[in-house]
Amino acid sequence: MDLATALEEGDRERACDDDRIEDAAAFGRAYERHKLPVYRYLRARGLIEDDALDLTAVTFERAFDRRRQFRPRDGGLGGWLFRIARNAAIDQHRRRRTEVQATRGAAPDEGIDLAADPAERDRRELHDAVDALPADQRDAVWLRYAAGLTGREIGQVLGKSEAAVQKQLQRALVTLREALE
Amino acid sequence: MTDMARLEERLAGAFVVAPDAGFDAVDRRIAALVASPAARPGWRSRRSLPFSRRVRLVLAVGVALLAMAGAAVGAMNIVDHFTSSMGGGTRIALDRGVVLDQRQVQGDYAVTLVRVYSDISQVILLVIVERVAGSGPIPGELLRVELRDPSGALLRPGVGSGDANERQYLELIAFTPASGAGEFTLRLGLEGNGPLPWTFRFSLPVPVGTVMTVDRSATNENGTVRLGEVRLSPTEIRATLHIEPIDRRATWWVAYGYFEHDGQRFDVAGRNPDDAAPFDVPIHGYEGTESASGSWTLVVNELVGEGTDAGQIRPQGPWRIPFSVP
């Protein structure tokens, strides 16, 4: 199979799956496609690995329960799933406000020498800069760069227009560029 | 590669993380869920979860597609690149907009008013800023704008979005709707560049679309939702809601729902702006309509309120509000 055919088939299959997530196989494929982005989004929100894995499962369990409510328009499956994931994370944060730990990979006392690991240092700096953004911009950055959502999908999650999301991301990037200079 | 592109690359890399323990435990939970259809009324398929090679192919070609898209960006001009990234009503506005390509040079910068569009929901401008002398980064989103419609009224800039390459910065700016057809005046400036030195004049036709006041409400045990003004245009459906949730602890609110018309659904969502009352929620869709006449129903599925102390509150609908457009 040549690449163009494979791409076309992949797109068709994804669109078809998004239309039919009531079907077990289609739901399973959607789970396979989205589980890592959902996990990364939850980690970006500051959840430790065990909690992020648990909430990834909770996200898909809730999606499965509500699969008949999904309509494959506009924000699409990505927007719908990440709205569930975001709500689940907010619920957990509310329940366990005092327990949620801010973790961005390994903590300094876990043996990583930041001075000797410039990549890890760079990552920490970026996470700290993102954490300092206004809440809406921070959420848009997580959804864009950790979850890989489009502006339209992010709009569906946050209740904003695609253009408003692009503007928020743009402002966030300007702020981050200045903060990291 | 621009500073912004490098920053985006760093951001994408910063969030790349996978669970040390893998997804086995989650996989088992989800597999068990979908493999027990008998416990779930209405479940139609009894196939178990296939984590097939075909899915891996889809993932692989998805990665290839992203790589190809990234390589293609450099070869596209900034307008094409930006337009290709937009969908729905914004794309219609860009496709149908009046092409002006009016270019003016002031100091180190040239500003080109590329395209303009107006309907009953919004006025949209597409502008490119280009450095023609000197060096340093282009001011980017720091463009200041002032747009007056034919009546002389100042239109309020709303949302915008942008794109950039090594030489140029592009900005799409949406404004509140104009009062009518005629000559518009646009003045532009860059941050720190004194008064607004660029002035463009252009004409636009009568804005198309339908605007009407519905002023109807629906109530359930979780609260009341009132639908005020509705604007139906080819690029966007906009409406104003006033909500009265029973639980009012949140400081800002998002409404989720859809309009139904002529067998079609138009998903809408919206959040109260920071400078507006918390219970006045403007909602909008991502697509518009060109056949507004007939019966419509707004269905609000859920309100989501968030606030520092209240966490998240989710009064559930549906609130159904039917109305008719002549």
Side-chain angles (χ1 to χ4, degrees):
Chain A
M1 183 187 295
D2 64 24
L3 182 59
T5 308
L7 288 169
E8 202 172 307
E9 181 174 318
D11 285 347
R12 269 203 307 272
E13 185 166 345
R14 284 185 54 167
C16 187
D17 279 351
D18 283 3
D19 285 352
R20 301 184 300 111
I21 62 160
E22 285 187 46
D23 176 84
F27 187 90
R29 285 190 291 270
Y31 164 72
E32 276 294 289
R33 274 204 313 278
H34 290 284
K35 68 181 180 184
L36 186 56
V38 166
Y39 172 80
R40 285 178 174 166
Y41 169 67
L42 294 168
R43 290 298 306 271
R45 292 187 66 100
L47 295 172
I48 60 172
E49 177 173 316
D50 286 351
D51 286 346
L53 282 170
D54 180 55
L55 277 197
T56 301
V58 167
T59 296
F60 286 96
E61 286 163 354
R62 289 185 184 174
F64 187 79
D65 284 344
R66 301 172 192 173
R67 63 196 183 279
R68 288 183 188 83
Q69 295 172 19
F70 170 68
R71 297 290 179 275
R73 284 176 57 86
D74 295 325
L77 186 61
W80 186 70
L81 274 176
F82 278 89
R83 200 178 138 202
I84 295 173
R86 181 172 180 270
N87 286 349
I90 289 170
D91 284 348
Q92 193 198 51
H93 181 71
R94 184 170 40 182
R95 281 196 308 270
R96 301 174 54 188
R97 193 167 289 169
T98 57
E99 296 174 31
V100 172
Q101 303 166 40
T103 56
R104 304 289 187 229
D109 60 359
E110 287 173 352
I112 289 185
D113 180 359
L114 292 182
D117 189 345
E120 180 61 20
R121 191 172 61 238
D122 185 59
R123 211 162 71 88
R124 296 278 179 92
E125 283 176 4
L126 274 166
H127 280 291
D128 289 346
V130 171
D131 286 348
L133 290 171
D136 278 5
Q137 291 181 25
R138 192 170 60 221
D139 229 332
V141 166
W142 288 333
L143 289 164
R144 177 75 189 94
Y145 298 103
L149 296 194
T150 65
R152 189 170 181 158
E153 289 170 327
I154 297 169
Q156 187 67 11
V157 177
L158 300 180
K160 292 177 176 294
S161 71
E162 181 180 13
V165 168
Q166 300 283 13
K167 189 72 173 180
Q168 276 189 330
L169 287 171
Q170 196 182 340
R171 286 182 176 145
L173 290 176
V174 169
T175 304
L176 290 173
R177 185 176 64 182
E178 289 170 357
L180 295 166
E181 272 175 358
Chain B
M1 187 183 280
T2 64
D3 287 350
M4 284 302 189
R6 265 192 292 274
L7 176 58
E8 289 195 272
E9 200 173 73
R10 286 175 66 191
L11 277 168
F15 294 113
V16 172
V17 58
D20 294 336
F23 280 100
D24 289 354
V26 184
D27 288 349
R28 280 196 296 274
R29 277 170 71 172
I30 303 305
L33 187 71
V34 298
S36 57
R40 301 184 177 276
W43 186 243
R44 294 199 296 256
S45 171
R46 290 181 177 273
R47 281 184 289 169
S48 61
L49 190 66
F51 298 151
S52 65
R53 288 178 59 195
R54 204 171 177 202
V55 175
R56 293 193 187 97
L57 172 65
V58 173
L59 292 171
V61 296
V63 170
L65 180 63
L66 286 173
M68 288 169 66
V73 163
M76 298 171 83
N77 77 46
I78 193 169
V79 175
D80 291 342
H81 181 225
F82 177 74
T83 303
S84 67
S85 71
M86 302 302 283
T90 308
R91 180 61 177 268
I92 289 174
L94 291 171
D95 289 344
R96 295 184 185 179
V98 177
V99 177
L100 296 178
D101 284 335
Q102 293 180 15
R103 187 171 191 262
Q104 294 177 18
V105 178
Q106 301 274 355
D108 292 348
Y109 298 99
V111 173
T112 304
L113 178 57
V114 181
R115 216 169 284 186
V116 294
Y117 174 86
S118 171
D119 67 22
I120 204 74
S121 297
Q122 58 190 338
V123 176
I124 286 180
L125 308 180
L126 197 61
V127 176
I128 291 176
V129 181
E130 183 180 5
R131 181 182 276 283
V132 292
S135 61
I138 299 168
E141 70 146 338
L142 305 175
L143 199 64
R144 293 177 297 139
V145 294
E146 182 185 289
L147 179 64
R148 291 186 185 277
D149 74 5
S151 73
L154 196 60
L155 304 184
R156 183 180 174 187
V159 297
S161 52
D163 201 350
N165 61 24
E166 291 78 4
R167 296 180 301 109
Q168 300 167 306
Y169 172 77
L170 173 149
E171 182 147 351
L172 176 145
I173 315 161
F175 292 83
T176 50
S179 59
E183 187 178 78
F184 290 67
T185 303
L186 171 68
R187 300 179 68 226
L188 294 160
L190 301 175
E191 195 68 25
N193 200 27
L196 304 171
W198 286 276
T199 301
F200 297 91
R201 290 187 174 80
F202 55 92
S203 293
L204 285 171
V206 176
V208 296
T210 302
V211 55
M212 64 179 295
T213 301
V214 177
D215 200 23
R216 285 190 182 177
S217 62
T219 299
N220 71 12
E221 68 275 16
N222 296 315
T224 295
V225 171
R226 175 170 290 277
L227 174 60
E229 183 186 83
V230 177
R231 287 176 177 265
L232 306 164
S233 84
T235 62
E236 194 173 50
I237 295 177
R238 275 184 178 274
T240 57
L241 297 183
H242 180 76
I243 61 170
E244 294 173 9
I246 299 297
D247 185 343
R248 301 165 72 91
R249 287 173 296 160
T251 53
W252 54 268
W253 291 86
V254 179
Y256 294 98
Y258 56 90
F259 282 95
E260 285 179 332
H261 170 61
D262 203 16
Q264 278 189 284
R265 282 175 59 125
F266 300 88
D267 286 358
V268 289
R271 199 198 112 166
N272 63 296
D274 294 336
D275 59 351
F279 302 112
D280 290 332
V281 181
I283 54 173
H284 56 83
Y286 299 89
E287 291 171 353
T289 179
E290 299 194 71
S291 58
S293 295
S295 298
W296 288 75
T297 302
L298 168 66
V299 180
V300 175
N301 291 324
E302 183 181 46
L303 303 174
V304 177
E306 295 190 16
T308 310
D309 298 326
Q312 202 178 50
I313 301 162
R314 298 184 203 127
Q316 296 297 302
W319 290 272
R320 299 180 66 88
I321 303 175
F323 62 99
S324 182
V325 176

